[in-house]
Amino acid sequence: MTVETYPWAPGFVAGDRPRIVTSRFEHEDSHTLERYMATGGYEGLRAALAKPAAEVHEQVRGSTLLGRGGAGFPAGVKWGLTPEGVYPRYLVVNGDESEPGTYKDRLLMERDPHQLIEGCLIACYAAGLSRCFLYIRGEMALAQERVATALNEAYAAGLVGRDILGSGFGVDIVLHWGAGAYVVGEETALIESLEGNRGMPRLKPPFFPAAIGLYGKPTIVNNVETLSNLPFIAANGAEAYTAIGTETSPGTRMVAVSGHVRRPGVYEIVNGTTTFRDLLYGEEFCGGIRDGNELKAFVPGGGSAPWFLPDQLDLPFEGRQVGAAGSMLGSGAIMVMDSTTDIPAAALTLTRFYAHESCGKCVPCREGGTWLMRVLERVVAGEGTTDDLDLLLEVGQSICPGDMPHASSEALGLEATPFPYKMTTICFVGPSAYVPVHSALTLFRSEFEERVAPSRSRTRIPVVAVGGGQ
Amino acid sequence: MSRFSAENLTLAREIVSRYPRPKSAVIPLLHLAQEQEGWISEEAMREIAELVGVTPAEVRGTGTFYEMFHFEPIGRYLLNICGTMSCALMGAGELMHAAEEELGVRAGGTTDDGLITLHGAECQAACTEAPCLQVNYRYRFRVTPDGVRQLIADLRSGALSDEIPPHGTLATVRQHIPSDRAVGAVDPDVDTAPPAWIPVTVEGASS
Amino acid sequence: MSTTEDTGAEVDDEVVEPDPDAVSITVNGRSVTARRGDLVIAAAERAGDYIPRFCYHPRMSSVGMCRQCLVEIDTGRGPMLQPSCMVTVSEGMVVDTESETTKRAQEGILELLLANHPLDCPVCDKGGECPLQDQAFSHGPGESRYVEEKRHYEKPIPISDLVYLDRERCILCDRCTRFADEVAGDALIHFIDRGNATQVNTFPDEPFSSYFSGNTVQICPVGALTAKPYRFKARPWDLEQVESTCTSCSVGCRISVHSSRDRLLRFQGVDDEAVNWGWLCDRGRFNFESVHADRRLAEPLIRSAEGLVPTDWSSALSITADLIRSAVDGGGPGSVAVLGGARGTNEDALAWSALADALGVESRDARLGDGLGLDLLDLPRATIADLASASTVVLMAPDLKEELPVLHLRLRDAALRSGTRVIEFTQSGSGLTRHAWRSIRHLPGTGASAVAEALADAEVAAQLASGPVVVVAGRQNLAESAEALSDRVGAVLAAAPEAGVLPVLRRGNTMGALAAGLHGPRDAADILREAAEGRIDLLILLGSDPLADFPDSRLARTALARVGRIVSLDGHLCASSEQADVVLPVAVMGEKSGTTTNLEGRVTPVSQKVTVHGTARPDWMIALDLASRLGVDLGVADLGDLTARVTADDRGVWSVPTGVEPAHFESVVGTNYDFRLVLSRRLYDAAVSTQCSPSLEGLAGGRGLSVHPSDLERIGVASGDDVKVIGPRGSVVLPPGCRTASAPTRPVRSDCSRPSPTASNSSSKRTSSPSAPIGWSSSWRRSSPSCRPS
Ligand SMILES: Cc1cc2nc3c(=O)[nH]c(=O)nc-3n(C[C@H](O)[C@H](O)[C@H](O)COP(=O)(O)O)c2cc1C
Ligand code: SF4
Ligand code: FES
């Protein structure tokens, strides 16, 4: 088996595996229209336009293409949730990739922008969407540049805009970029941001974007990777797609493995069958833990995911099984910690991230996230007490009441608690500040206890001062 | 002078016209203002408010939500060192120390000559290339403390001035929608007809 | 929000059609009937289960921000914690507001809310009536484990002339900012920054100068927003309160009047479904300060060689009675005239009307030439609720935001949230232009043709035919006559015969005074003309100031100079009362009880809350006293008798029976001038109640002129120069003030628009110049086609 890293696609590691979305990455000029056309470009669009829109939608439904943004909702089903007869409808492409550990959408935008554009066109055609907004994360200057160039090329070539390929189908793709706010990746916040507002999530239900979204109209929000799969499906059919991967998780997935492995990188893997052990230890993937160290723990699905221990290595990269084991696949990002890792400090980096990225709307997230961060900072600095450890869990309960999902551990005698959790917030940013605290404290409590002094008598302050006279 | 230049004003109007509702252009226009001046002044926010038909308070409300906008002048180069999990695991802390030492400012500060502003940043979507950093949103991967020192030296000597435009410029290529190819933005409350390629099935009728 | 009453009634009737919108849910084990679309928080509250909340406000959209209203809701998939302010009821839903999980969540949220709260309740205006304080007691954890450093901000910062913001106390519930944007349409306060650093603020140098800013103080669930007039004045438990009606304009907003130690301290809006939904404008909210003003009259005055000098009531009344008797005996009842009555209660008006009847005095008018023709008031009346639910509202009125601010809010809400389409005929744009379905601009004097043209438009005709129509009719240009308006309204009614009319009247109780009979065969203009000709021996001013308020001030001046004697009943000394022979100090709103009638004809009580100033008396009492001195019997002995008459027919709505036929009017436009004048008024003007309220006094901009910059340029006027405006009836020099308005920038505003709403126009309904009164006006170049509506 060959393992190859392409210098012009940092992070990306090729291999002798089926490839759907990264098939052009070995070409240095993979982002140009010329190369795209020379490698089957816009064939999927042509094939789609030759069929009635409903048939293309059916094809995507049949492919069981799962959303790659985090929630894993089937794209074909989502498109079908738009209310009958309400127009205009919009497509919003979620290219805001900011989840800690996640690295794939940026590659797809930088390395194969036309594939994404073609995917957008197919989605608009199939679901009757009359305008597409391609929202790229603000900090990704190169991706913005590559997509802008590709769009200019595509407009000039009659591939985007009015009357595409003489078919009567026409749609504009408007490039838009953000300005630095993780929470904007959440689809309702993305819509707010696109409307020119502060990126604060809207509550859903009652209104999912597919029913009431951008400008109050039905809106499909799809991830960059999700859409990048569409040219393949449209060109080769749903069967060719479902032939790869498993029935519940067909196709391939891009997974970024970072942290303490020998060969960190972005891998396109076969969905549903590849195990974490394959990924972390396989020679065609990461090739084991760095410096021959032991694996201590890993985060299986982006910074919001509860942590796994070596006990979970043999689980396949498949949503339901990972959920039952107490975590989630999220955005396809694995972060690996070896035996040298300072666990409380590692948890703090994530809690700090989510506290900092809180939009400020929900009280538990705005106040609780920062509170958790402050206490944890104290603990990491060696200034905490054992009571602080309990306090962390109690504050966490105000964000996520009830049982928290966590992994099983033979050594600790722990049974797994399945994903998901209950939450008092609108979106997952609030709970995500607590997840690493909870995982670290549940799985590595002794490392915290070594850090803190025994309990002092706890300060308790009456919550309200009462004015005289009452 | 922090109103839009004539050229940028034309561009700003073009950007506004791409959206069904003008307010959607607030973030793009803030970027444009920051590209022109390096930061965003009150006057710029007032002008944007006028261009999209909202109050300056609304423009500021939106703008201050986002990390990338600066409402006071900052350095020509913004050095963002990522400190989130993967980079932290791979030594981001040392990078930050090296940068602080070399620049003589703490994270958040700007060098006296106004050349470089140093910031701690959150995950930059390059986790497999950790530790990483961005200069004016241009990446540097797998950076070592020595690498940081070298980078700073290059920024100071001007060796990178061709490669890295001043703070505020993101993509150096902009999207242009040729008017003869554009479908155009319509008011979502007015134009509620289904797109032409979708067969209509209203009360059994189809077209 | 009112739904259970309907469903409650159903139970009593025998067999009623099942309400298709009824939804039955279970709240804490009890079965409750709600209606489709109800939010769980509201349905539970009606069922007697109050769910704690901070950000939810029934008159604004839900944002689900504070998370305090989380309860367990089970829609068949097991109980889930959900914000009850965001979830609508569905059949079979089970709600538990008291479960362990719910309690735990609510306590947790409260602890988090208090984490950064300064706990300065003892020095906080809100302490004692603070939802955060109350709910911390009822639903809170009792103590906090938060030992970290709290957020610090500079202590209260003024965000406007009237409101202060303490960001440390703020819990970021989005109520004030949502109100500013959604309800008032003045998005001048906004969240800035993000996450834990989020705060509310204004744009630098751009204060929250909204006519509605006081509402934010009332709806703030903590003490973060405080009103300047009330800061540190009282503790809530020292306050006494009574419900009343605001009479600052004719909307008649329901208020709660608060006082302590016999001083009025604040007005709070009361949520009346039919009228004001809890909102008030700042003028109505804060002009109670004028009740305790230094300028209040404390004792009667009579004219002597030294001018007006104090006297006692007994002499003042007997002199007044003598003046009346000698006038009636000398020149007959026709030589006596009564002007005014719109600032008092229905009872005041009724007593004076009865006195006039008894004396045979026919010359009376509660209007001052700036109101509406009686024919208009006689048309089928619409209510505010009709307006809010109409499919079309035809607006031929002055800018409601300036004249009847809360009506403006109701209409704005209808246009934005209920799909009401507004067809506006305007000469200079208004606060609603942005939201109008059609905003039709026309030159002064060309209203009739603009209306005819619009009615000929098929789309407009179809819209008018599509459902209920309400015509809002008022004088938008005092330089045009009232008859011109009647004509236009008539034209619309011909096209939409079922339409109701809502008259726009500025002064509080004009409708009640007219209904009480304070109008006669001769109107104010006739009366003043007669006076100017020396045919009036005695003029009685009932809280009116013709010198300031009558549009033709030259006529008013001549009239008052030529009239024999003047008796003025007023709370404050004004320009006209200064010329009086007898001034009788009267009780003002807040000091007297009775009823008032709003523009709909709705009669509501006004209540006395504080003792009258000095020896002042209510107008009705003076009328009764004079009657007995004059030996006439009015058939009423006290206030109770008067109120009984007002409410006699039990309709709750008073109409004005006039039987006047609509007049016809040909518009005549002078052709020798370069511009046409639009004469209008602003909310804050020279009115006594504004000028005598320290908090508001500074907000009145004085008179001003608004001219399009390109016109100024054309005639070569620099933006800092004074301008002399010359018209057929005189000329006036006006300061530059509001002319600096920049070219219109908002897309909806045409080239001829007024300055953007943030630019300050100034105006005045008063003028002391020898010319026709000049308010602010737009420039209208003769026959400028670009100024025509597109
Ligand atoms: C806090 C938060 C952050 C998210 N960030 C991203 C993101 O950066 N990119 C993304 O594609 N989806 C992100 N999502 C998921 C989106 O809300 C949404 O589910 C997704 O874009 C839908 O696309 P898909 O169906 O194609 O996966 C985020 C969700 C949450 C709650
Ligand atoms: S959970 Fe946090 S980030 Fe998400 S909506 Fe609430 S406050 Fe905003
Ligand atoms: S009242 Fe429901 S979230 Fe605030």
Side-chain angles (χ1 to χ4, degrees):
Chain A
M1 290 195 184
T2 56
V3 172
E4 206 180 339
T5 313
Y6 299 107
W8 52 87
F12 178 67
V13 187
D16 197 7
R17 298 179 296 275
R19 284 197 274 143
I20 294 177
V21 290
T22 65
S23 65
R24 287 177 197 87
F25 278 28
E26 62 256 40
H27 302 288
E28 191 170 358
D29 60 352
S30 62
H31 55 280
T32 62
L33 182 60
E34 199 183 348
R35 170 64 64 189
Y36 193 63
M37 285 309 205
T39 49
Y42 292 100
E43 286 308 320
L45 177 65
R46 274 177 214 282
L49 293 181
K51 298 193 203 74
E55 242 172 73
V56 182
H57 186 171
E58 215 29 66
Q59 193 174 39
V60 174
R61 210 193 294 268
S63 74
T64 323
L65 169 65
L66 301 183
R68 303 290 201 253
F73 196 79
V77 177
K78 189 191 273 189
W79 299 356
L81 296 178
T82 49
E84 189 91 23
V86 184
Y87 295 94
R89 301 171 175 179
Y90 300 108
L91 174 65
V92 175
V93 185
N94 193 339
D96 193 60
E97 186 171 65
S98 331
E99 175 77 11
T102 311
Y103 177 21
K104 60 189 181 69
D105 298 338
R106 180 164 71 82
L107 264 184
L108 288 169
M109 293 185 284
E110 288 176 1
R111 297 301 307 164
D112 205 342
H114 282 287
Q115 177 173 264
L116 172 61
I117 292 168
E118 188 180 349
C120 295
L121 296 172
I122 294 169
C124 288
Y125 178 70
L129 314 174
S130 57
R131 201 163 184 82
C132 169
F133 297 93
L134 208 166
Y135 192 117
I136 302 185
R137 181 171 169 187
E139 290 95 333
M140 298 178 173
L142 182 61
Q144 293 153 14
E145 195 163 305
R146 290 269 169 89
V147 174
T149 311
L151 278 172
N152 290 346
E153 287 173 326
Y155 264 103
L159 292 161
V160 185
R162 205 178 283 174
D163 192 19
I164 293 168
L165 297 171
S167 65
F169 161 66
V171 69
D172 280 331
I173 299 181
V174 175
L175 178 57
H176 183 102
W177 58 75
Y182 159 75
V183 65
V184 163
E186 197 282 332
E187 56 189 359
T188 59
L190 190 72
I191 287 169
E192 284 288 334
S193 182
L194 197 48
E195 289 184 2
N197 301 329
R198 301 162 60 77
M200 311 214 285
R202 301 170 179 171
L203 189 83
K204 50 167 192 180
F207 305 127
F208 284 96
I212 298 185
L214 187 63
Y215 312 125
K217 298 293 173 184
T219 302
I220 299 298
V221 181
N222 269 138
N223 168 262
V224 165
E225 185 189 345
T226 314
L227 291 163
S228 295
N229 276 288
L230 293 176
F232 177 92
I233 295 171
N236 303 294
E239 297 72 31
Y241 190 77
T242 51
I244 307 168
T246 66
E247 199 185 327
T248 51
S249 301
T252 62
R253 257 199 100 146
M254 288 178 79
V255 179
V257 192
S258 62
H260 298 155
V261 285
R262 277 179 42 218
R263 204 163 36 248
V266 183
Y267 301 87
E268 182 168 0
I269 64 167
V270 173
N271 217 352
T273 55
T274 315
T275 65
F276 290 105
R277 188 181 299 282
D278 295 339
L279 264 166
L280 266 52
Y281 290 93
E283 269 314 312
E284 58 168 334
F285 297 107
C286 297
I289 306 304
R290 68 165 185 190
D291 306 334
N293 288 350
E294 289 292 308
L295 172 66
K296 193 167 185 177
F298 62 101
V299 190
S304 316
W307 297 6
F308 274 171
L309 296 170
D311 301 52
Q312 280 78 39
L313 274 174
D314 291 315
L315 282 171
F317 204 82
E318 193 276 327
R320 281 191 222 168
Q321 295 180 58
V322 168
S327 189
M328 61 165 191
L329 286 185
S331 51
I334 301 174
M335 289 180 282
V336 180
M337 292 169 260
D338 73 8
S339 46
T340 66
T341 309
D342 176 345
I343 291 287
L348 176 58
T349 66
L350 287 174
T351 298
R352 184 185 283 142
F353 174 87
Y354 292 105
H356 177 252
E357 295 299 337
S358 167
C359 79
K361 187 167 182 173
C362 311
V363 170
C365 173
R366 180 179 80 223
E367 306 293 339
T370 310
W371 193 357
L372 286 174
M373 179 188 84
R374 296 260 185 85
V375 177
L376 196 53
E377 272 170 356
R378 217 163 51 216
V379 170
V380 169
E383 289 157 13
T385 68
T386 47
D387 271 352
D388 282 332
L389 304 185
D390 297 333
L391 181 59
L392 286 171
L393 297 175
E394 285 164 31
V395 173
Q397 279 288 308
S398 293
I399 307 172
C400 301
D403 289 342
M404 276 301 276
H406 61 76
S408 64
S409 158
E410 216 170 306
L412 296 169
L414 276 181
E415 289 284 332
T417 303
F419 198 79
Y421 38 72
K422 291 191 175 129
M423 54 203 253
T424 57
T425 55
I426 293 175
C427 84
F428 293 96
V429 173
S432 298
Y434 177 50
V435 161
V437 175
H438 181 266
S439 282
L441 262 170
T442 307
L443 306 175
F444 301 96
R445 185 161 179 119
S446 60
E447 291 198 27
F448 287 86
E449 282 168 348
E450 287 161 17
R451 278 280 228 313
V452 295
S455 151
R456 289 183 286 261
S457 71
R458 204 194 262 179
T459 323
R460 285 178 183 264
I461 312 157
V463 288
V464 258
V466 191
Q470 251 207 346
Chain B
M1 204 300 286
S2 53
R3 289 183 76 84
F4 283 126
S5 64
E7 190 187 337
N8 278 343
L9 192 60
T10 311
L11 184 55
R13 297 226 163 89
E14 184 189 324
I15 291 173
V16 173
S17 75
R18 283 181 199 163
Y19 297 93
R21 302 225 172 114
K23 195 181 180 193
S24 281
V26 167
I27 292 174
L29 296 193
L30 285 167
H31 273 306
L32 188 62
Q34 184 153 286
E35 178 168 331
Q36 182 176 304
E37 303 294 326
W39 62 290
I40 293 161
S41 64
E42 281 171 24
E43 203 183 344
M45 285 188 273
R46 284 211 175 84
E47 188 179 11
I48 292 169
E50 280 171 27
L51 282 166
V52 304
V54 301
T55 64
E58 289 174 280
V59 173
R60 182 163 175 247
T62 296
T64 54
F65 185 87
Y66 299 91
E67 208 83 21
M68 291 171 70
F69 295 133
H70 294 267
F71 300 93
E72 269 154 35
I74 69 160
R76 178 183 175 87
Y77 298 110
L78 173 62
L79 189 58
N80 273 332
I81 300 184
C82 177
T84 313
M85 181 110 162
S86 306
C87 288
L89 289 174
M90 301 301 284
E94 289 152 44
L95 292 196
M96 183 56 95
H97 284 310
E100 286 183 339
E101 222 170 64
E102 188 67 26
L103 292 171
V105 297
R106 302 298 301 263
T110 301
T111 53
D112 289 342
D113 59 2
L115 190 69
I116 301 174
T117 299
L118 178 65
H119 271 205
E122 300 289 9
C123 184
Q124 297 175 337
C127 310
T128 69
E129 307 302 293
C132 65
L133 58 79
Q134 291 185 322
V135 187
N136 291 353
Y137 306 103
R138 270 75 186 164
Y139 284 98
R140 290 289 184 278
F141 300 128
R142 304 195 189 215
V143 190
T144 59
D146 277 340
V148 169
R149 285 187 268 270
Q150 183 59 47
L151 173 70
I152 290 170
D154 290 345
L155 289 174
R156 283 183 167 147
S157 72
L160 293 174
S161 55
D162 289 344
E163 188 186 329
I164 303 178
H167 177 254
T169 301
L170 294 169
T172 55
V173 176
R174 281 194 173 272
Q175 175 182 23
H176 282 292
I177 303 182
S179 54
D180 60 328
R181 296 274 326 127
V183 177
V186 296
D187 184 334
D189 293 325
V190 174
D191 200 333
T192 55
W197 69 92
I198 295 291
V200 201
T201 45
V202 184
E203 286 151 35
S206 94
S207 69
Chain C
M1 301 281 114
S2 63
T3 55
T4 40
E5 304 102 67
D6 319 316
T7 49
E10 271 171 30
V11 185
D12 304 335
D13 298 344
E14 335 85 81
V15 194
V16 194
E17 289 276 299
D19 180 352
D21 283 336
V23 176
S24 46
I25 63 170
T26 308
V27 180
N28 296 341
R30 282 173 302 116
S31 168
V32 169
T33 309
R35 295 200 94 181
R36 195 173 312 289
D38 275 357
L39 292 169
V40 172
I41 196 169
E45 184 171 2
R46 273 200 310 275
D49 289 296
Y50 183 86
I51 301 173
R53 81 283 303 263
F54 294 109
C55 65
Y56 168 72
H57 189 285
R59 294 293 181 193
M60 299 192 286
S61 61
S62 290
V63 285
M65 201 140 177
C66 73
R67 322 303 290 170
Q68 189 61 53
C69 69
L70 289 168
V71 294
E72 277 197 305
I73 298 178
D74 187 347
T75 46
R77 283 174 297 162
M80 287 207 288
L81 266 183
Q82 302 257 32
S84 53
C85 72
M86 300 287 298
V87 179
T88 48
V89 294
S90 61
E91 190 61 37
M93 173 184 270
V94 179
V95 179
D96 194 338
T97 72
E98 285 163 349
S99 72
E100 264 319 299
T101 315
T102 301
K103 275 201 197 125
R104 174 71 195 75
Q106 292 177 350
E107 274 185 22
I109 305 286
L110 264 166
E111 183 181 30
L112 293 168
L113 270 173
L114 293 164
N116 271 298
H117 196 74
L119 304 182
D120 55 352
C121 314
V123 294
C124 176
D125 273 349
K126 203 85 173 188
E129 56 173 9
C130 172
L132 181 60
Q133 199 182 31
D134 296 347
Q135 291 176 32
F137 278 121
S138 56
H139 295 86
E143 46 191 15
S144 169
R145 295 160 294 186
Y146 191 86
V147 296
E148 326 298 323
E149 168 102 353
K150 299 200 180 215
R151 274 193 295 265
H152 286 301
Y153 291 110
E154 189 189 327
K155 268 300 185 180
I157 49 170
I159 55 170
S160 75
D161 290 308
L162 296 166
V163 180
Y164 284 87
L165 167 66
D166 182 330
R167 288 163 295 173
E168 291 182 350
R169 290 181 188 155
C170 171
I171 58 166
L172 303 170
C173 67
D174 199 19
R175 276 189 176 190
C176 59
T177 37
R178 229 178 324 152
F179 172 84
D181 181 22
E182 249 178 43
V183 182
D186 299 318
L188 298 169
I189 45 174
H190 209 283
F191 282 143
I192 58 168
D193 298 331
R194 186 178 75 202
N196 208 255
T198 309
Q199 51 166 299
V200 172
N201 217 322
T202 59
F203 196 75
D205 303 326
E206 211 158 290
F208 180 41
S209 46
S210 167
Y211 287 164
F212 306 100
S213 70
N215 293 294
T216 62
V217 176
Q218 185 174 339
I219 61 178
C220 177
V222 294
L225 291 166
T226 43
K228 190 165 110 182
Y230 178 73
R231 281 169 61 79
F232 306 123
K233 288 274 165 60
R235 309 299 299 172
W237 48 87
D238 295 331
L239 291 178
E240 298 163 21
Q241 51 177 289
V242 65
E243 208 172 305
S244 188
T245 307
C246 173
T247 54
S248 301
C249 77
S250 63
V251 176
C253 296
R254 300 292 294 150
I255 53 174
S256 161
V257 177
H258 296 210
S259 73
S260 170
R261 278 173 245 117
D262 213 23
R263 282 187 78 84
L264 297 177
L265 285 179
R266 66 175 177 187
F267 287 1
Q268 301 273 64
V270 168
D271 192 336
D272 185 314
E273 176 67 38
V275 184
N276 59 316
W277 285 10
W279 312 131
L280 297 180
C281 73
D282 286 355
R283 186 179 66 170
R285 184 182 296 271
F286 297 119
N287 69 10
F288 68 84
E289 288 182 324
S290 63
V291 173
H292 303 299
D294 298 341
R295 268 174 67 191
R296 273 303 295 283
L297 290 167
E299 46 198 345
L301 305 173
I302 50 165
R303 186 157 300 281
S304 73
E306 294 90 61
L308 287 170
V309 294
T311 183
D312 58 74
W313 272 96
S314 170
S315 351
L317 285 169
S318 71
I319 293 169
T320 306
D322 289 348
L323 288 175
I324 295 175
R325 192 177 299 115
S326 60
V328 173
D329 291 350
S335 69
V336 179
V338 181
L339 274 185
R343 284 186 197 146
T345 60
N346 291 329
E347 288 74 5
D348 291 334
L350 207 52
W352 274 93
S353 177
L355 180 60
D357 284 347
L359 297 170
V361 171
E362 285 193 325
S363 296
R364 25 177 152 148
D365 197 354
R367 299 161 302 160
L368 279 178
D370 57 350
L372 297 175
L374 290 175
D375 54 326
L376 257 177
L377 303 181
D378 213 15
L379 294 169
R381 191 76 53 80
T383 62
I384 297 174
D386 293 339
L387 167 109
S389 60
S391 65
T392 314
V393 169
V394 180
L395 194 55
M396 310 175 137
D399 190 346
L400 294 182
K401 198 172 181 178
E402 304 289 348
E403 300 262 352
L404 305 179
V406 172
L407 188 66
H408 166 81
L409 294 188
R410 293 294 310 270
L411 183 53
R412 184 177 183 276
D413 180 87
L416 285 176
R417 296 216 267 179
S418 313
T420 297
R421 286 182 161 173
V422 177
I423 302 175
E424 176 188 58
F425 291 92
T426 177
Q427 304 182 359
S428 51
S430 78
L432 272 166
T433 300
R434 273 193 106 165
H435 309 300
W437 177 66
R438 289 275 195 287
S439 180
I440 297 163
R441 268 155 201 274
H442 61 87
L443 294 170
T446 65
S449 56
V451 171
E453 209 174 292
L455 292 175
D457 179 328
E459 263 186 70
V460 170
Q463 178 59 33
L464 287 176
S466 70
V469 178
V470 170
V471 182
V472 182
R475 300 273 295 279
Q476 68 168 279
N477 183 356
L478 292 173
E480 286 187 340
S481 76
E483 288 79 13
L485 175 70
S486 301
D487 254 15
R488 280 177 238 160
V489 173
V492 175
L493 289 184
E498 303 288 303
V501 176
L502 199 56
V504 172
L505 300 163
R506 188 170 173 102
R507 272 182 285 279
N509 197 22
T510 309
M511 200 63 84
L514 293 173
L518 285 179
H519 65 85
R522 283 174 291 280
D523 69 6
D526 300 330
I527 293 170
L528 289 175
R529 241 173 270 125
E530 284 180 11
E533 289 160 11
R535 291 196 278 141
I536 300 286
D537 292 335
L538 175 63
L539 179 63
I540 300 175
L541 300 175
L542 293 181
S544 70
D545 185 0
L547 286 182
D549 289 346
F550 191 76
D552 186 344
S553 60
R554 191 159 42 169
L555 174 59
R557 209 181 330 278
T558 323
L560 263 67
R562 286 287 313 272
V563 81
R565 299 297 184 112
I566 300 173
V567 173
S568 165
L569 281 70
D570 219 326
H572 305 72
L573 215 50
C574 65
S576 304
S577 52
E578 272 168 9
Q579 300 204 6
D581 299 279
V582 183
V583 181
L584 301 173
V586 297
V588 298
M589 293 301 175
E591 297 174 336
K592 60 182 169 185
S593 296
T595 58
T596 186
T597 306
N598 79 347
L599 52 97
E600 304 165 283
R602 182 186 306 277
V603 177
T604 49
V606 295
S607 312
Q608 174 173 9
K609 188 70 214 72
V610 291
T611 319
V612 283
H613 181 75
T615 65
R617 301 176 178 184
D619 305 42
W620 63 265
M621 195 186 278
I622 297 171
L624 260 53
D625 197 315
L626 289 171
S628 81
R629 282 169 199 264
L630 291 165
V632 294
D633 181 11
L634 304 185
V636 286
D638 56 19
L639 183 66
D641 290 350
L642 288 162
T643 306
R645 277 212 203 168
V646 174
T647 49
D649 55 6
D650 202 28
R651 280 176 303 163
V653 170
W654 242 18
S655 63
V656 187
T658 60
V660 177
E661 284 295 306
H664 285 279
F665 175 80
E666 288 280 301
S667 71
V668 185
V669 177
T671 49
N672 298 325
Y673 297 90
D674 287 327
F675 295 94
R676 295 190 191 178
L677 182 67
V678 178
L679 200 58
S680 59
R681 300 179 285 208
R682 311 265 308 168
L683 184 64
Y684 300 121
D685 57 14
V688 168
S689 57
T690 300
Q691 290 302 318
C692 292
S693 295
S695 306
L696 300 180
E697 167 196 26
L699 301 178
R703 289 179 297 156
L705 179 71
S706 177
V707 185
H708 197 275
S710 66
D711 285 331
L712 278 185
E713 203 175 307
R714 190 175 53 88
I715 55 178
V717 176
S719 66
D721 293 349
D722 284 352
V723 166
K724 184 170 189 181
V725 180
I726 305 166
R729 324 202 61 168
S731 67
V732 64
V733 175
L734 290 166
C738 64
R739 297 200 311 271
T740 52
S742 58
T745 49
R746 301 197 175 204
V748 291
R749 292 183 179 269
S750 83
D751 214 25
C752 292
S753 76
R754 285 172 55 182
S756 71
T758 45
S760 73
N761 278 298
S762 52
S763 78
S764 166
K765 64 172 183 172
R766 305 190 161 219
T767 171
S768 49
S769 82
S771 63
I774 303 279
W776 73 264
S777 65
S778 270
S779 69
W780 292 99
R781 291 179 50 190
R782 241 182 322 133
S783 67
S784 157
S786 68
C787 289
R788 302 301 297 272
S790 52

